[in-house]
């Protein structure tokens, strides 16, 4: 958006923000507008002028991220310009995960803990300046001035928070974990249903800041921690046997280009590549089918069910496509029921798979609704109750039958619960598949014996924490597994 064109809108946003919210915005912007340049900022309008000097108001992305973070998504409607679709961009968000983390701590800190924090910092910070601090954000700023706090120097903050609130200390640990992981791509879209109403304008797409917190708890021990005998080895009868090389077959159906009404699934090639690399490392033979019609998908599945799996331990099938409740689409825009994909592999039809795990991962929308989020108590800025309606690419279709597998040893991992849409980065892959591969890789590299259900629970947690173009996503695993399945690199 052009600054000149939108001064009225920015002025309206300024009128809605109180002084504490303006202070929070200034803190979040410290990495792009120095504290020196923030001197003299009296209200949000002054801050907007500083941001415009840096070219950060050329579109609404950065300001949208700021408003999301301070819990003022209700003001996003003031940023709407026209109904034309914006050009997609792969530019990374400028809002710092480090500052968002500090803001989250500030939001969840009680007044009592704030006073304790100031007491613990007495002697480390200038006494007069410390006493002048009215909020935790002020204290964080003073710590940064004294080089006691930065994105790479979180030890003192973590030590202090351990004395105050273990959950706040965990927030710092989770951020430190994320520093060692690749950053999440910012551009998000959804796997869209049919585009047939040409008279209805398409609202602009948006890039968002998407943090990817790790919720795997870290263990912290003192140097005097006594030696504990390791637990006894697990009962192997509780686990599926994986002894063959290759472990099994991983089949990927990647439907990216459709005939007419369904939009191209940009970014699906990234999912294909990630799945291929991961399952190859896990010891699978990987086979990819690209852009198949509905009948071609059925034919490939039926042929696959006749395969001799006696020298393989399991089967994995991944479907990347558009879809609706209980179905996915072929490239001819005809539906294939998910039950049509799973039923040919029941013990009666595929006897060499009897007693072996059969995993199906479906990246597709399962309805036309947008998943909403509710604000917990106390509220956190990363979760919102207000959802702004946006048109995104959706993998959606006709609503019919239940997709729960009937027989034993099946697992069906859905990108979203029924009735709702799922999201996809247009150049970096879908939210669900990328998180699934990330968690499978982490489990494969870990000495822990994390089974597939523990992995999928972490996927649920990671994906559900995000906010994607003002909406939420909730994956859903369904299973009839009879043992634990642990996948490690071979």
């Amino acid at each position: 958006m052009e600054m000149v064109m939108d001064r009225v809108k920015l002025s309206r946003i300024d009128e809605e923000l109180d002084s504490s919210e303006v202070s929070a915005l200034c803190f979040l912007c410290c990495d792009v507008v120095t504290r020196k340049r923030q001197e003299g900022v009296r209200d949000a309008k002054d801050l907007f002028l500083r941001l415009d000097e840096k070219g950060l108001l050329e579109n609404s992305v950065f300001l949208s991220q700021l408003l999301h973070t301070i819990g003022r998504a209700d003001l996003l409607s003031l940023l709407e310009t026209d109904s034309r679709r914006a050009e997609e961009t792969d530019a990374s968000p400028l809002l710092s995960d480090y500052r968002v983390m500090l803001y989250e701590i500030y939001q969840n800190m009680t007044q009592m803990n704030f006073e304790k924090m100031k007491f613990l910092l007495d002697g480390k910070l200038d006494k007069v300046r410390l006493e002048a601090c009215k909020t935790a954000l002020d204290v964080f700023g003073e710590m940064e001035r004294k080089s006691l706090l930065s994105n790479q120097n979180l030890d003192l903050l973590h030590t202090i928070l351990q004395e105050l609130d273990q959950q706040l200390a965990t927030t710092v640990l989770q951020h430190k974990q994320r520093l060692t992981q690749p950053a999440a791509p910012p551009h998000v879209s959804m796997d869209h249903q049919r585009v047939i109403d040409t008279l209805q304008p398409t609202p602009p797409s948006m890039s968002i800041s998407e943090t990817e917190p790790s919720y795997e708890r870290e263990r912290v021990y003192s140097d005097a921690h006594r030696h504990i005998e390791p637990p006894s080895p697990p009962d192997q009868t509780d686990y599926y046997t994986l002894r063959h090389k290759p472990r099994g077959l991983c089949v990927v159906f990647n439907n990216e280009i459709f005939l007419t009404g369904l939009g191209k699934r940009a970014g699906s090639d990234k999912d294909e590549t990630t799945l291929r690399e991961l399952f190859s490392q896990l010891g699978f033979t990987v086979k990819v089918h690209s852009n198949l019609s509905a009948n071609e998908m059925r034919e490939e599945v039926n042929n696959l069910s006749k395969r001799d799996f006696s020298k393989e331990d399991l089967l994995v099938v991944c479907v990347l496509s558009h879809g609706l409740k209980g179905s996915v689409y072929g490239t001819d825009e005809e539906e294939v029921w998910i039950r049509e994909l799973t039923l040919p592999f029941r013990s009666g039809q595929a006897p060499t798979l009897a007693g072996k795990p059969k995993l199906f991962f479906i990246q597709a929308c399962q309805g036309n609704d947008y998943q909403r989020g509710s604000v917990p108590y106390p509220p956190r800025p990363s979760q919102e109750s207000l959802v702004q309606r946006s048109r995104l690419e959706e993998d959606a279709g006709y609503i019919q039958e239940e997709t729960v597998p009937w027989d034993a040893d099946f697992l069906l991992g859905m990108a979203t619960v029924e009735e709702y849409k799922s999201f996809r980065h247009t150049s970096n892959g879908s939210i669900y598949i990328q998180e699934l591969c990330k968690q499978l890789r982490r489990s494969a590299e870990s000495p822990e014996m994390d089974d597939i259900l523990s992995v999928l629970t972490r996927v649920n947690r990671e994906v559900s924490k995000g906010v994607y173009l003002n909406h939420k996503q909730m994956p859903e695993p369904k299973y009839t597994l009879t043992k634990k399945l642990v996948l490690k690199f071979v």
Side-chain angles (χ1 to χ4, degrees):
M1 63 180 179
E2 292 293 336
M3 182 69 175
V4 175
M5 295 173 57
D6 290 314
R7 284 188 183 275
V8 173
K9 294 178 181 179
L10 294 174
S11 178
R12 290 175 181 171
I13 292 174
D14 169 67
E15 292 171 357
E16 295 292 330
L17 297 171
D18 60 33
S19 59
S20 65
E21 290 171 326
V22 174
S23 296
L25 291 177
C26 288
F27 177 83
L28 291 169
C29 291
C30 281
D31 294 324
V32 291
V33 178
T34 65
R35 285 190 170 87
K36 182 68 175 178
R37 286 294 299 140
Q38 288 187 20
E39 291 179 1
V41 170
R42 299 159 299 176
D43 51 29
K45 293 194 298 295
D46 291 335
L47 178 61
F48 295 155
L49 289 172
R50 306 296 193 276
L51 293 175
D52 187 51
E53 291 172 357
K54 295 287 187 177
L56 295 174
L57 294 184
E58 293 178 357
N59 58 54
S60 62
V61 174
F62 186 64
L63 184 53
S64 297
Q65 293 175 23
L66 289 171
L67 295 176
H68 273 298
T69 303
I70 68 170
R72 292 306 306 268
D74 56 308
L75 301 180
L76 290 176
S77 60
L78 298 178
L79 297 179
E80 293 178 352
T81 52
D82 56 39
S83 60
R84 292 172 295 177
R85 184 176 181 84
E87 292 296 323
E88 295 180 347
T89 174
D90 293 328
S92 297
L94 295 172
L95 189 55
S96 162
D97 286 344
Y98 159 70
R99 299 213 169 268
V100 173
M101 179 268 296
L102 293 178
Y103 181 83
E104 181 178 350
I105 292 172
Y106 151 71
Q107 283 287 90
N108 290 294
M109 183 176 291
T110 64
Q111 183 63 31
M112 180 180 296
N113 281 338
F114 170 61
E115 296 297 336
K116 288 181 179 178
M117 179 172 67
K118 291 175 65 175
F119 175 78
L120 292 172
L121 284 168
D122 189 22
K124 293 182 173 63
L125 298 177
D126 181 84
K127 190 175 185 64
V128 174
R129 297 182 72 96
L130 182 60
E131 289 179 353
C133 292
K134 303 300 182 184
T135 70
L137 296 183
D138 296 334
V139 174
F140 297 154
E142 288 302 313
M143 292 177 68
E144 289 176 328
R145 291 177 193 272
K146 291 292 186 178
S147 299
L148 298 176
L149 176 64
S150 69
N151 197 28
Q152 288 75 38
N153 183 14
L154 296 167
D155 292 340
L156 177 60
L157 176 62
H158 177 252
T159 300
I160 291 173
L161 293 180
Q162 280 185 311
E163 299 294 325
L164 307 181
D165 186 318
Q166 188 57 48
Q167 187 58 46
L168 296 181
T170 300
T171 300
V172 177
L173 284 178
Q174 291 169 353
H175 177 75
K176 291 176 71 174
Q177 282 185 315
R178 294 197 297 272
L179 292 178
T180 63
Q181 299 166 1
H187 197 64
V188 177
S189 69
M190 275 185 21
D191 293 334
H192 195 56
Q193 188 191 6
R194 297 183 181 273
V195 184
I196 54 178
D197 187 0
T198 57
L199 297 179
Q200 184 175 359
T202 303
S205 62
M206 294 172 57
S207 296
I208 65 169
S209 172
E210 181 191 346
T211 57
E212 291 194 350
S214 169
Y215 297 95
E216 187 174 353
R217 189 177 298 278
E218 291 193 11
R219 298 177 180 178
V220 180
Y221 300 103
S222 70
D223 292 338
H225 188 71
R226 64 186 180 88
H227 176 71
I228 299 177
E229 289 297 324
S232 58
D235 186 349
Q236 293 303 314
T237 60
D238 288 341
Y239 293 81
Y240 285 106
T241 301
L242 303 180
R243 64 175 182 272
H244 290 99
K245 291 186 179 180
R247 289 277 185 258
L249 180 66
C250 174
V251 180
V252 179
F253 292 93
N254 181 17
N255 288 345
E256 184 176 3
I257 301 173
F258 295 79
L259 294 181
T260 54
L262 292 172
K264 178 181 177 181
R265 300 185 60 257
S268 192
D269 58 331
K270 180 65 174 179
D271 286 342
E272 175 190 316
T273 299
T274 305
L275 288 167
R276 183 196 297 272
E277 292 176 352
L278 173 67
F279 280 97
S280 294
Q281 291 179 288
L282 290 171
F284 286 77
T285 300
V286 180
K287 186 174 183 179
V288 176
H289 298 287
S290 300
N291 299 317
L292 298 187
S293 67
N295 282 334
E296 288 171 337
M297 293 177 68
R298 295 186 187 97
E299 182 178 352
E300 287 294 338
V301 166
N302 288 329
N303 290 337
L304 182 60
S305 68
K306 299 172 185 176
R307 176 189 175 95
D308 182 4
F309 292 93
S310 58
K311 295 184 179 180
E312 295 171 312
D313 299 316
L314 69 161
L315 170 69
V316 176
V317 177
C318 305
V319 181
L320 317 173
S321 187
H322 291 296
L324 278 183
K325 182 179 177 181
S327 71
V328 295
Y329 280 118
T331 54
D332 55 352
E333 301 179 8
E334 296 296 326
E335 292 176 85
V336 178
W337 296 109
I338 294 176
R339 285 185 61 191
E340 294 182 79
L341 303 177
T342 60
L343 293 182
F345 299 99
R346 295 183 299 177
S347 299
Q349 286 84 351
T352 57
L353 277 174
K356 299 178 180 180
K358 298 160 278 281
L359 314 182
F360 290 78
F361 297 108
I362 310 297
Q363 170 55 45
C365 286
Q366 289 295 289
N368 286 317
D369 290 339
Y370 290 88
Q371 184 79 34
R372 295 179 180 270
S374 60
V375 178
Y377 185 82
R380 293 177 295 184
S382 60
Q383 293 176 299
E384 306 164 25
S385 58
L386 179 64
V387 178
Q388 181 184 1
R389 190 73 176 178
S390 298
R391 282 295 178 91
L392 305 167
E393 293 181 351
E394 307 136 13
D395 291 340
Y398 198 63
I399 298 176
Q400 287 266 341
E401 303 180 33
E402 174 62 35
T403 60
V404 178
W406 289 352
D407 291 344
D409 306 303
F410 278 87
L411 183 143
L412 180 60
M414 303 297 297
T416 178
V417 295
E418 293 177 352
E419 313 291 353
Y420 292 101
K421 302 175 184 293
S422 59
F423 293 83
R424 171 171 35 83
H425 289 292
T426 56
S427 61
N428 295 280
S430 61
I431 302 297
Y432 174 69
I433 292 296
Q434 292 299 316
E435 188 62 45
L436 171 68
C437 291
K438 174 184 172 182
Q439 294 299 335
L440 284 171
R441 181 175 297 279
R442 177 177 298 175
S443 176
E445 295 172 341
S446 170
E448 302 293 333
M449 292 290 285
D450 288 338
D451 70 305
I452 189 68
L453 298 184
S454 298
V455 171
L456 291 178
T457 299
R458 288 201 295 268
V459 172
N460 284 357
R461 185 165 55 209
E462 295 277 1
V463 173
S464 67
K465 289 290 184 180
V467 178
Y468 315 106
L469 295 181
N470 306 334
H471 302 285
K472 305 290 284 184
Q473 181 172 330
M474 185 67 246
E476 181 182 20
K478 306 176 183 181
Y479 68 96
T480 57
L481 298 178
T482 57
K483 298 181 181 181
K484 296 179 181 179
L485 175 62
V486 176
L487 298 175
K488 296 292 185 181
F489 290 144
V490 296

